[in-house]
Structure formats: structure tokens, C-alpha cells
Amino acid sequence: MNRVHLFLASFFFTAGLHAQVPQIINYQGRVAVGNVNFTGTGQFKFALVNAAGTQTFWSNDGTSAAGSEPTAGVSRPVVNGLYDVLLGDTGLTNMVAVPPGVFNNADVWLRVWFNDGVNGFELLTPDTRIAAVGYAMIANGVTNGS
């Protein structure tokens, strides 16, 4: 009987706690040079853009406009063509936080550029649509009961 009351007290206590939503989005991708999966350190540039790619909502270094390539790249390890990045992780060089307001836009897509260290930066296609994860960032600003 005491365990039930303890559980209920814990449930009601934690229901009132509010956690801060991190301004970071985990993204995993794949890259190949020619038809061979790349392995090594790659340079990447990222931008969150509209579906047409004509408006930039955010970029890794804050310099992209109208869907253009950002100025500075982010180094990431790539193994057998696979890489991951925390978009908005300010602990990474040339990475600024992703403001939650980006997801006030109905249609947000991730645009990625890659440099293998030999061929220079190339735009990877197609852009990738950002789904529910990014939109959860704006939930922190919603007033209780609204």
C-alpha cells in the first residue's frame, strides 16, 4: 500500500517539472566519392532551408542566405560512408545553435555540402526534409493548457 502512494506522489511531483528542450538535432547521413563509400575526415556544411531551397532559416556558421553554401565547414569522421552530426552543437567548431523559431516554418529541409579533402565542396542531393524531431523544439514555448 505504501508503495502505491509513493509512486503516485512521485508521478504528481515529476508531472510538474519542466525540462529545457536542447537546440540540437541529431542527423545521420551517408556519403560516397564516386561509387565508393568514403572513409576519413570529411568537411560538411549544413543549412536548413525551405522546400524550394530559396530561403535559409539556419546554417552551421550563420552565413548562408537564400539557400547558399555557408562559408565555414564542420569536420566529422566518416566510416564506410556513414557520418553523424549534432546540428546546433555549439561545442563543434563552426556550429551555431538552431533557434526553435526555425520550426515555426511549415516546411524545413536540410541541405548538406561535402568535401572529401580532394574534390572541394559539393552539394549533396536531394535535400532531406526535417520531420517531427525539429518541431518538438518549439514545444518548449507552448504555454500549459493552451
Side-chain angles (χ1 to χ4, degrees), residues 5-92:
H5 291 291
L6 179 60
F7 170 75
L8 289 175
S10 297
F11 174 76
F12 289 117
F13 175 73
T14 58
L17 296 177
H18 296 280
Q20 185 172 355
V21 178
Q23 293 176 283
I24 296 175
I25 300 170
N26 185 28
Y27 177 74
Q28 298 174 339
R30 180 182 166 278
V31 65
V33 177
N35 291 326
V36 179
N37 288 334
F38 179 79
T39 294
T41 300
Q43 287 284 311
F44 294 87
K45 297 178 182 180
F46 305 96
L48 295 175
V49 299
N50 65 349
T54 57
Q55 183 179 5
T56 301
F57 305 124
W58 170 90
S59 66
N60 63 276
D61 67 353
T63 63
S64 174
S68 68
E69 182 179 331
T71 303
V74 177
S75 294
R76 298 302 304 147
V78 183
V79 178
N80 295 324
L82 301 175
Y83 68 94
D84 68 339
V85 63
L86 296 174
L87 299 172
D89 180 357
T90 59
L92 296 175

Side-chain angles (χ1 to χ4, degrees), residues 62-140:
T63 63
S64 174
S68 68
E69 182 179 331
T71 303
V74 177
S75 294
R76 298 302 304 147
V78 183
V79 178
N80 295 324
L82 301 175
Y83 68 94
D84 68 339
V85 63
L86 296 174
L87 299 172
D89 180 357
T90 59
L92 296 175
T93 302
N94 299 322
M95 184 73 74
V96 300
V98 178
V102 164
F103 298 99
N104 289 332
N105 299 288
D107 212 14
V108 179
W109 295 73
L110 177 63
R111 181 167 280 182
V112 180
W113 292 262
F114 172 70
N115 180 353
D116 65 356
V118 176
N119 297 301
F121 278 98
E122 290 188 38
L123 177 63
L124 303 181
T125 57
D127 294 342
T128 304
R129 188 165 188 194
I130 301 293
V133 173
Y135 292 94
M137 291 173 64
I138 63 171
N140 189 45

